[in-house]
């Protein structure tokens, strides 16, 4: 019986790609670097904000940690103000979360987005959902696919049996995280990456619509 469902945020619960791309392109342009089409950001995101900046910068510049850190800080400050311009939950996600909660399944978010941004977006778009834990990137904790974020959620929710936990995400990083944590990994096809990537990285199941998760639980 499933007692805990842990969700990635970007590309799984929320379509954040346009605001992420617009914010990063703004910072790049401000610092006289080339910008990128929105679709490129689907492959830039997933490994934390520093990696987004590294991947967006020209290769010869991306190896300079001082420049990466400067732009990362500028990006975060700008994104905090512009993170809700085009962002929205995927169709069916809110109903899915409400139904899972009604089934006495605890809900959690595990993201590689900086923790303040993660909690801000969850509070804004899912205020009616009772999440037991919402964690993002923290300076003292390694990011996904390291499983520590899953272990921290398990401790917070006091659910320790890995057979009672589902991890749901849209990228190979998410599937690696579930594998590293020893919990069942479900890939979603509506996010930023392909089914091929999800399968290659160990997805046990793939769903095309949020409501399909109930078939796996029942």
């Amino acid at each position: 019986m499933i007692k805990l469902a842990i969700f990635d945020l970007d590309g799984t619960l929320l379509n954040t790609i346009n605001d992420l791309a617009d914010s990063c392109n703004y910072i790049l342009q401000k610092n006289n670097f080339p910008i990128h089409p929105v679709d490129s950001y689907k492959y830039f995101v997933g490994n934390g904000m520093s990696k987004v900046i590294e991947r967006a910068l020209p290769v010869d510049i991306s190896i300079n940690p001082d420049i990466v850190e400067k732009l990362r800080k500028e990006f975060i400050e700008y994104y905090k103000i512009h993170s809700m311009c085009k962002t929205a939950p995927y169709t069916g996600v809110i109903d899915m979360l409400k139904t899972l909660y009604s089934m006495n399944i605890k809900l959690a978010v595990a993201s590689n987005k900086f923790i303040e941004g993660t909690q801000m977006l969850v509070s804004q778009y899912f205020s009616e959902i009772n999440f037991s834990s919402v964690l993002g990137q923290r300076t003292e904790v390694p990011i996904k696919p390291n499983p520590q974020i899953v272990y921290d959620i398990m401790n917070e929710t006091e659910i320790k049996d890995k057979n009672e936990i589902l991890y749901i995400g849209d990228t190979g990083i998410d599937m690696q995280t579930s594998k590293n944590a020893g919990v069942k990994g479900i890939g979603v096809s509506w996010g930023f990456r392909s089914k091929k990537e999800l399968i290659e990285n160990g997805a046990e199941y793939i769903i095309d619509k949020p409501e399909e998760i109930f078939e796996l639980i029942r």
Side-chain angles (χ1 to χ4, degrees), residues 11-15 88-97 126 188 190 207-212:
T12 301
L13 297 179
L14 288 177
N15 186 352
Y90 288 100
T91 302
V93 158
I94 290 178
D95 287 340
M96 171 196 66
L97 293 172
F126 303 108
V188 305
W190 59 77
I207 58 175
D208 298 316
K209 297 176 182 178
E211 59 267 27
E212 290 178 8

Side-chain angles (χ1 to χ4, degrees), residues 30-76:
K30 177 187 167 192
N31 287 275
N32 299 310
F33 294 118
I35 63 173
H36 305 276
V38 172
D39 278 351
S40 295
Y41 283 91
K42 292 181 178 180
Y43 297 92
F44 291 170
V45 301
N47 298 85
M49 296 287 88
S50 294
K51 276 294 179 186
V52 173
I53 300 300
E54 284 181 26
R55 290 164 178 164
L57 283 170
V59 176
D60 59 327
I61 303 296
S62 68
I63 59 175
N64 187 319
D66 294 333
I67 294 177
V68 170
E69 181 59 14
K70 172 182 178 292
L71 267 64
R72 185 191 70 83
K73 288 179 178 176
E74 290 182 17
F75 170 86
I76 287 175

Side-chain angles (χ1 to χ4, degrees), residues 90-208:
Y90 288 100
T91 302
V93 158
I94 290 178
D95 287 340
M96 171 196 66
L97 293 172
K98 287 180 177 178
T99 302
L100 289 172
Y101 185 74
S102 73
M103 297 166 67
N104 294 316
I105 294 173
K106 291 185 178 182
L107 307 172
V109 171
S111 177
N112 272 348
K113 184 191 292 291
F114 61 103
I115 191 164
E116 298 88 353
T118 298
Q119 294 177 340
M120 177 178 66
L121 288 175
V122 169
S123 175
Q124 173 67 25
Y125 290 102
F126 303 108
S127 59
E128 55 197 310
I129 306 298
N130 187 5
F131 283 99
S132 297
S133 178
V134 177
L135 297 180
Q137 181 180 3
R138 296 158 289 166
T139 54
E140 74 281 9
V141 180
I143 62 173
K144 302 184 292 185
N146 185 290
Q148 187 59 50
I149 193 169
V150 173
Y151 299 153
D152 290 343
I153 289 171
M154 290 169 66
N155 287 330
E156 285 190 19
T157 58
E158 298 183 341
I159 295 176
K160 305 296 177 68
D161 187 343
K162 294 180 179 181
N163 293 315
E164 298 175 339
I165 301 170
L166 294 180
Y167 181 99
I168 303 98
D170 70 304
T171 71
I173 292 294
D174 290 310
M175 298 305 98
Q176 291 170 27
T177 303
S178 65
K179 204 171 177 181
N180 292 341
V183 300
K184 293 182 183 69
I186 298 176
V188 305
S189 66
W190 59 77
F192 299 162
R193 304 288 177 82
S194 67
K195 284 186 179 182
K196 182 174 181 288
E197 176 176 321
L198 293 168
I199 293 167
E200 287 176 349
N201 285 277
E204 295 187 44
Y205 307 96
I206 294 178
I207 58 175
D208 298 316

